[in-house]
Amino acid sequence: MKLKNKKICLLLAGGTALSEQDRHLVNSAQDIEGWLKKLPELAIMGAVEPVFICGEEDHSHGPALWQQLAAEVFKRYNDFDGFIITNAPHDLQYNAIALSFALQNLNKPVVFTGSPLSVVDKRMAEIKKFPLSGLGIRANLINAVQIATMPFGAVGIIFGKFCLRAVRAQRTELGSLNIFTGQDESYLAKIDFSFSLFEPFIPPSRPVELKNNFSANVLSIDYYPGLDFELVRQAALGVDGLLVKGLPLEPFEKKFLAALKKLTLPVLVYNRFYIPPLNGDNLIEVFNLTKETALVKFIWALGQTKDFSEIRKLMAAELCGEFLKSN
């Protein structure tokens, strides 16, 4: 099928600045027509249908937005060949990770992109004297349309020349065109003179499923030697789950670990590389994921079940290619 015959749904949810010189934004459905006129390449490339979700600032964040975005894709799933979602960079990574778990058995691409320009990025650019001229959404969106027509089923992020699996992506320095890179140096596709896919796609045997329940009541902390457990206990009152980033190999002092085991809520103990078994009924050890993915997956798992053993099974299962490859 030719590119121009592919139907692409473009969900607009922030991150729409065209360039440093042209700050034309989509803050309402009425802004879309004028905005698209400045992107005539899209009409040439394919049948792109825009859908307004929210503007740049006045919208929900976190689980509420994750549920909405997943539901919007799901209800249109059979009508389009691929999906593009625009976000501002500070929202994008978490949103993309969340949809990786909320949309099960994908056999079509769901691609997140946007403009790297924001108020914060602009100020940082002025401080560090990074040249941001021209670094708007145009090039990213053109690349995203091409990626959204390719044969893979995953949630990807594209900024610059790499399309990354969202659950393996990490934010890099501000001054780079590729503001996201792969934590394990892997990517779905790369742009040279054309697009090259680097992961073989095997279509799932089951239809796509929407599982977009998330718990909005999760606390995340970083442990350090000497951390007073009473501070943790007070902060964790009334939450559904607690993520504690531990230290590698010897994650906690014995007194702290003993107190952690007495909590009556699920506790996800995270380290990027390795955590030994901690032998606590409420403790779930996870590693070999990015911290962002571990947190969002935990929030998602708590939205699926409150049973500790089922939460443990979900966290141990690879559901969307989230486990990092060994370096």
Side-chain angles (χ1 to χ4, degrees):
M1 183 182 293
K2 294 182 179 179
L3 178 63
K4 66 185 300 181
N5 293 329
K6 295 289 186 78
K7 292 183 63 179
I8 305 299
C9 182
L10 173 61
L11 301 171
L12 297 163
T16 55
L18 291 169
S19 71
E20 180 67 12
Q21 294 77 22
D22 187 347
R23 288 281 175 147
H24 192 142
L25 303 173
V26 177
N27 278 315
S28 70
Q30 288 69 40
D31 296 329
I32 294 176
E33 183 178 358
W35 184 79
L36 281 177
K37 285 182 178 178
K38 298 185 178 184
L39 295 163
E41 304 95 329
L42 300 187
I44 296 171
M45 296 172 63
V48 178
E49 181 176 314
V51 177
F52 179 76
I53 302 297
C54 56
E56 297 291 328
E57 296 180 0
D58 297 328
H59 60 82
S60 58
H61 298 272
L65 182 58
W66 302 345
Q67 288 181 320
Q68 181 184 5
L69 290 175
E72 294 287 351
V73 171
F74 185 75
K75 74 181 182 181
R76 296 175 173 85
Y77 194 78
N78 293 327
D79 298 327
F80 293 91
D81 298 298
F83 296 84
I84 299 170
I85 301 174
T86 69
N87 279 166
H90 60 274
D91 274 339
L92 185 146
Q93 184 177 11
Y94 285 95
N95 296 346
I97 293 170
L99 262 66
S100 299
F101 295 105
L103 296 167
Q104 302 275 306
N105 307 318
L106 281 176
N107 63 0
K108 299 176 182 180
V110 177
V111 183
F112 278 76
T113 193
S115 171
L117 300 172
S118 69
V119 173
V120 174
D121 285 350
K122 183 180 179 182
R123 290 172 183 164
M124 288 297 293
E126 291 169 352
I127 293 169
K128 295 190 176 185
K129 302 187 186 313
F130 286 138
L132 289 180
S133 178
L135 302 187
I137 195 175
R138 184 184 303 273
N140 285 337
L141 195 54
I142 290 170
N143 291 339
V145 171
Q146 295 180 74
I147 282 286
T149 67
M150 300 189 78
F152 69 89
V155 178
I157 294 175
I158 185 160
F159 272 81
K161 66 179 181 179
F162 296 110
C163 182
L164 306 157
R165 191 178 287 272
V167 287
R168 297 185 195 165
Q170 64 178 348
R171 184 75 185 262
T172 60
E173 75 276 8
L174 176 64
S176 171
L177 284 171
N178 304 298
I179 65 173
F180 292 95
T181 61
Q183 177 77 64
D184 56 359
E185 299 182 356
S186 67
Y187 40 85
L188 285 167
K190 182 180 179 182
I191 307 164
D192 289 315
F193 296 103
S194 62
F195 279 89
S196 301
L197 284 177
F198 286 88
E199 290 191 18
F201 174 56
I202 302 175
S205 58
R206 295 180 295 174
V208 64
E209 296 179 67
L210 179 66
K211 295 185 177 181
N212 66 336
N213 289 330
F214 297 90
S215 171
N217 197 20
V218 174
L219 175 67
S220 174
I221 64 170
D222 285 5
Y223 171 80
Y224 58 87
L227 175 61
D228 185 351
F229 181 79
E230 183 59 21
L231 295 174
V232 177
R233 189 187 69 80
Q234 289 289 337
L237 290 175
V239 304
D240 295 333
L242 171 66
L243 183 149
V244 183
K245 182 182 178 182
L247 305 175
L249 301 182
E250 297 293 338
F252 304 119
E253 298 170 53
K254 290 182 179 179
K255 184 177 179 181
F256 187 93
L257 178 59
L260 205 60
K261 291 179 179 180
K262 293 179 181 179
L263 292 177
T264 58
L265 74 163
V267 177
L268 190 72
V269 181
Y270 168 79
N271 184 268
R272 163 68 176 84
F273 299 102
Y274 178 71
I275 283 184
L278 301 176
N279 303 315
D281 291 340
N282 66 325
L283 304 185
I284 304 168
E285 303 90 356
V286 296
F287 56 94
N288 208 30
L289 297 93
T290 67
K291 184 183 178 183
E292 294 84 358
T293 295
L295 175 60
V296 174
K297 186 177 182 180
F298 189 42
I299 293 172
W300 173 81
L302 289 168
Q304 309 309 304
T305 178
K306 301 303 179 187
D307 183 273
F308 282 25
S309 62
E310 292 301 314
I311 295 169
R312 189 184 303 276
K313 289 178 183 177
L314 288 173
M315 294 305 302
E318 184 167 30
L319 303 174
C320 54
E322 66 269 30
F323 293 147
L324 299 170
K325 298 176 182 178
S326 299
N327 292 327

